[in-house]
Amino acid sequence: MTILFLDVNAATRGERAAALSQQTGWEVTSVATVAEGRAWLLKARFLDLLITEAIIDAENSGFALRDAALARFPNAHVLFTTRYDLTGYEAKISGWPVLADAPYSLEKLIAKSIKALEIDPPTQMLVLAEKSPPPSLQSGTMLGQYQVLERLSYENESETYRAIQVSVQRPVALVLLRPELLHRPEVVDRFKARERLKASIMHTRIAPLYEAGTVNGLIFYTRELPRGRNLEEITLAGETLSERKVAELLYGVAEAMDYAIERGCYHRRLESRDIFIDPQGQASIVNIFRPADSRSRDPKEEVAALIALVEPLTTDGKARGLIAKLSEEERDWKGLMDSLDDVRDAMRERSIMRRIEAEEGGGKSGGASTPWWIWVSALAAIGIVFALGNLAGTATPNVVAATILRTPEMVEIPAGSFKYQKNERRSLPAFWISRHEVTIGQYADFLAALKKTAATSFDHPEQPKTKVTHIPPKWSDTYAAAKAGATFNGQPISLNTPVTQVDWWDAYAFAKWSGMRLPTEEEWEKAARGEKGLLFPWGEKSAKDKANLGDDYDANGKKGGKIDGYNLFAPGDRACADVSPYGIHDMAGNVSEWTASEFRGESWPAHPDFPDLRIPVVRGGHFALKNSDDLLTTRFFTESASETTLARGFRVASDVAPTK
């Protein structure tokens, strides 16, 4: 029996928790605040009973903790304790038992806890009595054309499995009516009624039902496995969400919920495992909807529960501020969408160039799919920019059609002092750095090598377990166009074009595979500015035509590239004036670059606005960033090491001379 016990009174909390722990089989975790309770819930594997004070202070309540607990553990029981009169709070109590006579005795606390476990609905008690039984279907079992892989969840009347539709090799979620309930006609009828309702819901943000069937007497249906990761996986990976991602997530979920509820659908409470975020930052949900004869829910309570579910995933000030603002008043699903309209409109109004600049400074947008809301975020810039027309009217790129840059060409940077940032002198031992940014062709060799060795051989030790590939978004299309030396919807591209849309983990793995590493910020800056600390790689005078920068960038693609010849990224083998005193190319422009750390070592620097947040730093300008005197000294702080953008790549470094 797993119990979470919240008591704000330090004088009584320990004694009461100890009394509960003395009951046979009861494991008790005591907390003093709602925040501590929520933090525990994120890591907990089970919860049978939540005991919490109902009214805590003006900003916190046990009702919010109850909502967060049931969102993660829908079959848990709840017991409220209180020092106050709860008249008028009946709707928030929602029928859960209350221990009201504080200070209560230890005997009353134990007796009320036992009773709380006995008065829950029979369906919930059934789940508790049979907690985590063995799966009804073993891995490898075939149901028609579906092969079972693993069980994902266990519910009151069903089990959900990850499976493969063998005929088309499509991953699906297979929902099975629990075999021991097949003899109960009312349960079978209820399961089939839900099948029919789920099949009737057609919305891009709601996972569709594929097929319903019966094989060997077993009743099941299959549905889409949403793209991306669910909130539970993101939480377990220790990742957080930015303001932009929070806004898109909440809006997407609200849009899906409002669509279904407007059509008369009922639903169970959303859980962390039901809400997915795809690689483009768009939200979708599992089809949780049920016929109208099921239990109805208050939309305002459900919106509050969703906000409470997302709140622990926010760390930066803007995201926390958005959550706090949305928590100030009650609203239904449509009201939540209306509240987010201004936030999302402000994000949409930014140009693609400004969005990419914001990404390099710490703000990251999500992408989308075919509906109108697909084009609202920065990764949508990938689709928009690749969809640009031809480059008629731009300057003619001066490309040296020479050999393909199959391996990074390394250049020695001699030992000695150099000017760092504005006026600081630092010293470095000799090191080597690649003359060019890592190319599409070089990265393709890396991906090919991964197929022949252990997939995790070159991963950073702290790489999130949920990251299972180093393949960038839209890689197959990009690589095919690069191999052909063609244009990709109007954008010139070749195997010598810098690889982009790679996150820090990708860059680290490539560098390790190649026998090298990522350059530190100090190394990057010395290689770019030389010993004297030049403002630009070529000298002290600004020259818009010497680097591939954003002074001629056109988001529509029709007039871009008139100054430097390229609207987007340029191939590394072109004739280039963006060359440092050591002969290193494209430090001022083309694409910005990941670095390893501020100093030698494994640790990342602290974010200047959030000292507790340590993240890798990006250096250098890019094709959408305008020319300025601080291109080589600005430190761009990302949101996380998992961030990607069309305007960012990397180069490699080494402590030893390259092997000939």
Side-chain angles (χ1 to χ4, degrees), residues 226-230 273-278 282-284 286:
R227 295 181 64 244
R229 296 178 293 157
N230 61 35
R273 59 186 171 87
D274 298 323
I275 303 170
F276 285 75
I277 303 177
D278 70 16
Q282 289 302 308
S284 63
V286 171

Side-chain angles (χ1 to χ4, degrees), residues 73-93:
F73 303 102
N75 298 307
H77 304 245
V78 179
L79 170 61
F80 288 117
T81 64
T82 183
R83 296 164 288 162
Y84 306 98
D85 179 6
L86 294 183
T87 301
Y89 285 89
E90 290 80 7
K92 288 186 175 294
I93 294 170

Side-chain angles (χ1 to χ4, degrees), residues 175-383:
V175 182
L176 175 75
L177 176 61
R178 287 168 48 194
E180 65 270 27
L181 301 177
L182 288 170
H183 68 285
R184 295 173 56 181
E186 75 281 6
V187 176
V188 174
D189 290 344
R190 188 160 53 240
F191 187 84
K192 289 186 174 293
R194 289 178 180 176
E195 280 181 352
R196 291 191 292 271
L197 178 87
K198 292 174 188 292
S200 70
I201 296 176
M202 302 295 292
H203 192 276
T204 54
R205 292 192 188 269
I206 302 173
L209 185 142
Y210 288 147
E211 180 182 17
T214 301
V215 175
N216 298 327
L218 298 176
I219 301 174
F220 67 94
Y221 64 83
T222 57
R223 61 167 172 79
E224 178 187 63
L225 270 176
R227 295 181 64 244
R229 296 178 293 157
N230 61 35
L231 295 191
E232 188 173 77
E233 293 170 327
I234 293 172
T235 299
L236 292 175
E239 298 176 20
T240 56
L241 303 178
S242 66
E243 178 198 26
R244 185 183 296 274
K245 286 184 177 179
V246 169
E248 288 303 318
L249 166 66
L250 294 177
Y251 189 92
V253 173
E255 184 182 48
M257 296 298 293
D258 184 67
Y259 169 87
I261 291 172
E262 283 291 312
R263 283 153 181 76
C265 301
Y266 283 26
H267 62 91
R268 62 171 172 79
R269 173 156 287 175
L270 276 165
E271 302 174 32
S272 296
R273 59 186 171 87
D274 298 323
I275 303 170
F276 285 75
I277 303 177
D278 70 16
Q280 285 72 46
Q282 289 302 308
S284 63
I285 63 174
V286 171
N287 192 327
I288 63 171
F289 301 101
R290 301 174 176 184
D293 60 352
S294 305
R295 174 188 172 190
S296 62
R297 293 184 177 274
D298 181 351
K300 292 182 179 179
E301 288 185 4
E302 297 305 302
V303 168
L306 172 64
I307 293 173
L309 198 65
V310 175
E311 182 181 15
L313 290 170
T314 60
T315 56
D316 69 76
K318 289 184 178 180
R320 288 199 303 268
L322 176 59
I323 288 292
K325 181 178 180 181
L326 294 174
S327 301
E328 289 176 354
E329 61 182 74
E330 295 182 337
R331 48 177 61 80
D332 59 13
W333 296 111
K334 190 174 291 294
L336 179 59
M337 287 192 288
D338 292 341
S339 298
L340 290 166
D341 273 343
D342 290 342
V343 177
R344 298 174 73 250
D345 283 345
M347 294 175 182
R348 270 200 303 273
E349 288 168 1
R350 298 174 188 167
S351 68
I352 296 175
M353 178 188 71
R354 291 297 300 276
R355 280 183 236 156
I356 295 177
E357 290 176 14
E359 288 175 8
E360 301 293 11
K364 181 173 183 287
S365 302
S369 56
T370 311
W372 62 268
W373 40 264
I374 182 165
W375 311 110
V376 299
S377 57
L379 284 179
I382 297 170

Side-chain angles (χ1 to χ4, degrees), residues 301-514:
E301 288 185 4
E302 297 305 302
V303 168
L306 172 64
I307 293 173
L309 198 65
V310 175
E311 182 181 15
L313 290 170
T314 60
T315 56
D316 69 76
K318 289 184 178 180
R320 288 199 303 268
L322 176 59
I323 288 292
K325 181 178 180 181
L326 294 174
S327 301
E328 289 176 354
E329 61 182 74
E330 295 182 337
R331 48 177 61 80
D332 59 13
W333 296 111
K334 190 174 291 294
L336 179 59
M337 287 192 288
D338 292 341
S339 298
L340 290 166
D341 273 343
D342 290 342
V343 177
R344 298 174 73 250
D345 283 345
M347 294 175 182
R348 270 200 303 273
E349 288 168 1
R350 298 174 188 167
S351 68
I352 296 175
M353 178 188 71
R354 291 297 300 276
R355 280 183 236 156
I356 295 177
E357 290 176 14
E359 288 175 8
E360 301 293 11
K364 181 173 183 287
S365 302
S369 56
T370 311
W372 62 268
W373 40 264
I374 182 165
W375 311 110
V376 299
S377 57
L379 284 179
I382 297 170
I384 296 175
V385 174
F386 273 144
L388 299 176
N390 59 48
L391 295 179
T394 65
T396 302
N398 185 5
V399 177
V400 179
T403 58
I404 296 175
L405 306 174
R406 299 307 299 184
T407 58
E409 178 188 355
M410 305 301 289
V411 177
E412 182 179 9
I413 308 298
S417 66
F418 66 102
K419 184 178 179 181
Y420 182 71
Q421 293 291 285
K422 298 301 181 182
N423 294 300
E424 183 180 353
R425 297 296 298 186
R426 290 189 180 181
S427 182
L428 285 173
F431 65 94
W432 281 257
I433 193 168
S434 58
R435 188 182 302 277
H436 303 284
E437 293 155 329
V438 172
T439 69
I440 292 174
Q442 292 163 359
Y443 199 82
D445 292 341
F446 163 60
L447 294 180
L450 289 186
K451 295 180 180 179
K452 302 176 182 179
T453 185
T456 60
S457 298
F458 309 104
D459 291 351
H460 190 279
E462 296 183 11
Q463 177 176 305
K465 293 182 180 179
T466 51
K467 180 177 175 61
V468 297
T469 180
H470 291 294
I471 300 175
K474 295 186 178 291
W475 172 255
S476 59
D477 292 337
T478 305
Y479 182 50
K483 283 196 299 184
T487 59
F488 194 83
N489 287 342
Q491 169 61 40
I493 193 170
S494 74
L495 290 176
N496 288 338
T497 297
V499 65
T500 62
Q501 303 184 67
V502 288
D503 62 23
W504 190 89
W505 311 108
D506 297 329
Y508 174 93
F510 175 95
K512 185 175 180 181
W513 166 79
S514 63

Side-chain angles (χ1 to χ4, degrees), residues 5 7 18 25 33 55 58 103 137 149 178 196 221 233 273 277-278 292 308 322 376 414 546 556 567 633-634 645:
F5 175 59
D7 186 348
T33 65
I55 305 298
L137 301 176
L149 300 180
R178 287 168 48 194
R196 291 191 292 271
Y221 64 83
E233 293 170 327
R273 59 186 171 87
I277 303 177
D278 70 16
L322 176 59
V376 299
K546 288 185 179 295
N556 296 316
N567 191 44
T633 56
T634 298
T645 168

